[in-house]
Amino acid sequence: AWIPSLYFAQGIPYVVVSGGTPKVAVEFDYADESDGVDHASGQSLPFYPIPAQAITTPHWVEGGSPGNVDQRGEADRHLIVVDCAARGLYELYNVFYDTAEARWRGGSGAFFDMNANARRPDGWTSADAAGLAIFPGLVRYDEAGDPAIAEIGHAFRVTVRATDGYVFPASHVAGDTAGALPMGARLRLKASAGGVDPASRTADPVARKIFRAMQKHGLIVADNGSNWYVSGSPDPRWSDDNLNDFKDIPGDAFEVVDTGDPIVTDAPDCQL
C-alpha cells in the first residue's frame, strides 16, 4: 500500500489585534453555519475585527495576496484574527474584500471564546471543514523556536486527501471515502519508527521539539487537502533545510489514537 510522507506547510498567517479594531460584517456562502449572522433573517452583523490593512496589504490573508484580490476559486484564503484583549479568536474561510460593494465576503466564519472550551454546534463547519479552530493547531515559531518554552503543549492541524465522517471534537463531515480517516481523528507519532526515535533523526532543537509534540499530543485531522500536511504559520526564522527532516517520516510512523468516540456520518435522506 502507498504510505505518504509527512510534510510541513508554513502557510497560514494570523493577525493580532488589541480590542479597538472596528468590527465589520462578512457576507457568507454558508451563513447558516457561521457566526456573526442573525440566523433568523440571514443578515450579517458587524462582528469580525478585521483590520483595514488586510484589504490591501499582502500576507495578511492565506496565500499572500491582499484581501481585495479575488482568489476564492484557487485557494482556501483563510483569515485569522486573535483579539488578545478580549481573548477572542475569529477565523474566516475563503475571504475576499469586494471593493465595488465595500464589503468582505467569505465562505464561512467562526468565533471561539479562548476563555472557554466550547465546541461548534453539531453539524456546523467553522473556517475549517472539521468545524475545529485552526489557530490552536498551527506550528508557530514563537513556540517551537523559543528556548524558554521547553515543550509545545498542543496537537497540530493536519490535512489528508480524503475523509469519512467525523469524530469528537470535530463537528462537521466533508467526505465519505470508505476506509479514510474521519475528521477529528487524532494521530500520534510513535516513540520508535523503524526502531529509531523520530526526534533523534535531526540535531535541530526546533525540529526535535515539534517531533516531541507529535509524540505526546499528536495531529488532528482538520480538512481535506494536500495529503499529510502539518500546518504552520509563516515566519522568516523557519529553516527550510531543517523542516525537510519531516519528509523522512512515513505515514506508518503514526498510530491512530482510539478516543472512544463514535464515528458520525451523514444521515440518510428521509421524508417527514
Side-chain angles (χ1 to χ4, degrees):
W2 176 66
I3 300 175
S5 294
L6 188 71
Y7 282 83
F8 184 88
Q10 42 167 321
I12 303 181
Y14 60 92
V15 178
V16 178
V17 299
S18 57
T21 304
K23 295 184 178 181
V24 300
V26 180
E27 298 292 329
F28 293 114
D29 296 332
Y30 301 101
D32 57 334
E33 296 178 22
S34 294
D35 294 319
V37 177
D38 180 342
H39 292 113
S41 66
Q43 179 70 36
S44 293
L45 307 171
F47 185 80
Y48 292 90
I50 303 175
Q53 295 96 315
I55 298 172
T56 57
T57 306
H59 305 297
W60 287 50
V61 178
E62 182 186 16
S65 297
N68 60 3
V69 177
D70 191 357
Q71 296 180 329
R72 289 174 292 174
E74 305 167 29
D76 284 351
R77 299 288 283 168
H78 290 109
L79 174 57
I80 297 175
V81 180
V82 181
D83 186 334
C84 288
R87 297 186 60 81
L89 173 62
Y90 300 82
E91 299 190 339
L92 296 150
Y93 162 70
N94 217 212
V95 297
F96 165 59
Y97 184 79
D98 189 331
T99 304
E101 298 190 11
R103 70 174 67 187
W104 282 96
R105 299 186 180 277
S108 56
F111 169 76
F112 297 91
D113 181 353
M114 294 192 291
N115 292 307
N117 195 28
R119 175 173 170 261
R120 299 288 286 166
D122 206 50
W124 280 33
T125 188
S126 58
D128 230 355
L132 302 172
I134 296 172
F135 178 75
L138 296 180
V139 187
R140 308 194 314 273
Y141 192 89
D142 57 356
E143 286 184 316
D146 186 348
I149 299 176
E151 302 293 341
I152 299 171
H154 60 84
F156 300 137
R157 175 185 185 267
V158 68
T159 62
V160 293
R161 61 181 176 180
T163 53
D164 184 20
Y166 67 93
V167 294
F168 184 90
S171 61
H172 186 255
V173 61
D176 57 0
T177 301
L181 289 165
M183 293 288 185
R186 187 180 289 260
L187 308 169
R188 180 171 54 204
L189 183 61
K190 298 174 183 176
S192 176
V196 178
D197 180 351
S200 69
R201 293 174 182 248
T202 175
D204 176 55
V206 175
R208 283 192 168 194
K209 189 187 293 187
I210 296 171
F211 277 131
R212 291 197 300 271
M214 291 180 181
Q215 290 173 319
K216 183 173 183 179
H217 302 287
L219 313 175
I220 296 181
V221 176
D223 202 353
N224 302 314
S226 298
N227 204 37
W228 223 235
Y229 270 64
V230 175
S231 303
S233 60
D235 194 293
R237 294 170 292 179
W238 288 121
S239 165
D240 288 338
D241 289 339
N242 291 332
L243 293 178
N244 282 335
D245 292 326
F246 292 92
K247 296 180 181 179
D248 296 330
I249 305 299
D252 63 357
F254 288 82
E255 56 194 357
V256 178
V257 178
D258 183 359
T259 59
D261 299 303
I263 292 179
V264 182
T265 57
D266 278 328
D269 292 335
C270 62
Q271 294 182 352
L272 301 179

